[in-house]
Amino acid sequence: MVRLTMDLIAKNAGHKNRSEEDFEQYLQKITHLNLSDKNIDSIDDLSFCKNLRVLYLYDNQINQIQNLDFASNITHLYLQNNRISSIENLSLLKKLEKLYLGGNYITIVEGLDKIGELRELHIESQHLPLGEKLLFDPVSLNSLAKSLSVLNISNNNIDELEELAVLENLSYLKAVDNRLKHMKDLEVALKKWTKLRRMDLTGNPICQKPKYKDRIIVESPTLESLDGKEIQEMERRFLINWKASRAARKKNNERMTDEHAAYVQFSDSETPHLALPFNHSHSVKEKPDFLDLAHKQKVERKPAPRIRERRSQMKTQAWGFISDVKLLNQKLLFPRAPEEMKFSGTCISMYCMSVKAIPVLNVVTQQNQNCVNQP
């Protein structure tokens, strides 16, 4: 394997035959160093490269981040496609702005709590153990909340984004080929990402949800591009108006439902309902005829004590009237004076109305009329 040393840098830079003094001056002035795909497995002392700004070490065999304390001025660090399993030894890189760690063996995003200027973090396609997902250290996320604007976490088995909502300055999120499937979880994060301009979620189950694109456009008014497609402002205005109209209709329907429920409750409290009996038969299961049951209950219902007493009084009065009918009938047939005829007719009318004996009234009245018409 190959170690990253001064000799390797000199060989790569073509300074093999120059003096040591010239080479040291060269290292002090160098700002960009490209040592990608050199089969490097470890980083040695590079303390002479004090003005290094950009370091390319991708496509190597590096298994640990180390010996970079000298590079206090470095802004771009490319370490993708190595064998790195932990993010460490970066606390002195105070000016680091872009960190590329894709294609490594990192399982937890941590060790970034001392880097206050990091703007881009690319940590896609980690070689994770089977069934596991990439995790995020809350301390590191909180330290990056105000600075990180670009985050690439594609192909890391991630199934939720709510914990990333603290990244309030995020403007571009790339989370392709993960396991995102809950719209509510995404909507919570979108409400916090008030500066989000681009987002790519291609290859996630959430993309198959109904109205997926429409809901995201409505929830994120600053979003300009979704899954590689530009969002038209006219489309956003239409969707926002449609959502507002739908919400108004829903609110109106709920209000009408509440009013109807209140009316029904009031009506139920004022109007008693007839309780229908249910006769269960073990031998034959038949549908009960509710009309017959109601009629039967109405017929068999026992009257209240007050009603029974009133009916008894009416029967007694009726028998009294019947005993008087014979006498009244004789007086009608043989009237003695007009006052007696009038009195007799009134009594017979009262009796007939009480016992609903209309035929008797008709017969007696006819007899009375015949007597009056006689000379």
Side-chain angles (χ1 to χ4, degrees), residues 238-282:
F238 171 79
L239 291 173
I240 291 175
N241 293 336
W242 173 79
K243 181 183 179 181
S245 176
R246 183 180 179 184
R249 289 197 304 269
K250 182 178 180 181
K251 185 177 181 181
N252 186 46
N253 292 338
E254 291 177 353
R255 181 181 59 81
M256 294 179 65
T257 303
D258 294 341
E259 291 179 356
H260 178 70
Y263 173 77
V264 171
Q265 185 178 4
F266 175 77
S267 300
D268 291 345
S269 63
E270 294 294 328
T271 306
H273 291 278
L274 181 63
L276 301 179
F278 179 76
N279 298 326
H280 179 72
S281 176
H282 295 284

Side-chain angles (χ1 to χ4, degrees), residues 18-240:
R18 296 188 181 184
S19 63
E20 183 177 349
E21 183 178 355
D22 293 340
F23 180 61
E24 291 181 358
Q25 291 179 357
Y26 167 77
L27 292 177
Q28 292 177 1
K29 294 179 181 179
I30 192 173
T31 58
H32 290 66
L33 182 59
N34 190 348
L35 294 173
S36 60
D37 197 16
K38 300 295 183 182
N39 205 28
I40 299 172
D41 65 336
S42 61
I43 304 173
D44 207 343
D45 183 18
L46 301 177
S47 57
F48 287 101
C49 304
K50 295 183 178 180
N51 291 316
L52 193 63
R53 297 285 190 277
V54 181
L55 178 59
Y56 299 94
L57 290 173
Y58 58 86
D59 295 339
N60 283 293
Q61 300 296 321
I62 300 172
N63 52 38
Q64 185 180 10
I65 303 174
Q66 59 183 353
N67 296 323
L68 293 178
D69 297 346
F70 71 93
S72 58
N73 293 318
I74 196 169
T75 59
H76 296 60
L77 181 58
Y78 295 81
L79 291 170
Q80 60 265 46
N81 300 327
N82 280 278
R83 303 187 64 84
I84 299 170
S85 59
S86 177
I87 304 175
E88 56 186 347
N89 300 321
L90 297 175
S91 58
L92 296 179
L93 306 185
K94 301 298 184 180
K95 296 182 180 180
L96 186 63
E97 297 178 358
K98 297 182 181 181
L99 179 59
Y100 294 81
L101 291 169
N104 281 282
Y105 292 80
I106 298 170
T107 58
I108 303 177
V109 178
E110 58 183 352
L112 301 175
D113 50 298
K114 302 296 183 181
I115 307 176
E117 300 294 329
L118 191 65
R119 295 190 293 107
E120 296 186 17
L121 176 60
H122 301 263
I123 194 166
E124 72 282 358
S125 303
Q126 297 300 309
H127 299 281
L128 299 167
L130 185 63
E132 295 189 11
K133 64 178 181 178
L134 183 66
L135 303 176
F136 297 87
D137 175 33
V139 178
S140 294
L141 288 177
N142 289 328
S143 66
L144 299 174
K146 297 185 180 300
S147 62
L148 196 67
S149 60
V150 177
L151 179 62
N152 185 355
I153 53 174
S154 299
N155 193 25
N156 282 317
N157 299 332
I158 295 174
D159 56 6
E160 61 180 356
L161 297 175
E162 188 173 358
E163 59 183 338
L164 302 179
V166 298
L167 304 175
E168 58 187 58
N169 202 44
L170 197 65
S171 63
Y172 176 39
L173 173 66
K174 188 173 184 180
V176 175
D177 296 331
N178 279 293
R179 298 178 180 178
L180 302 173
K181 56 184 178 180
H182 299 296
M183 278 299 303
K184 290 185 177 180
D185 168 64
L186 178 59
E187 289 175 351
V188 170
L190 289 174
K191 291 179 180 179
K192 300 290 184 64
W193 295 334
T194 57
K195 298 181 180 180
L196 191 65
R197 297 289 182 270
R198 292 188 298 160
M199 183 168 65
D200 193 350
L201 302 179
T202 307
N204 284 275
I206 197 174
C207 298
Q208 306 302 323
K209 296 285 185 179
K211 304 291 183 181
Y212 152 76
K213 181 179 179 181
D214 296 347
R215 294 175 66 176
I216 290 180
I217 293 175
V218 171
E219 290 295 334
S220 180
T222 60
L223 197 63
E224 299 174 355
S225 175
L226 177 61
D227 298 343
K229 297 181 180 180
E230 297 295 325
I231 299 174
Q232 303 297 328
E233 188 61 29
M234 183 179 297
E235 179 183 10
R236 173 178 280 111
R237 286 200 301 268
F238 171 79
L239 291 173
I240 291 175

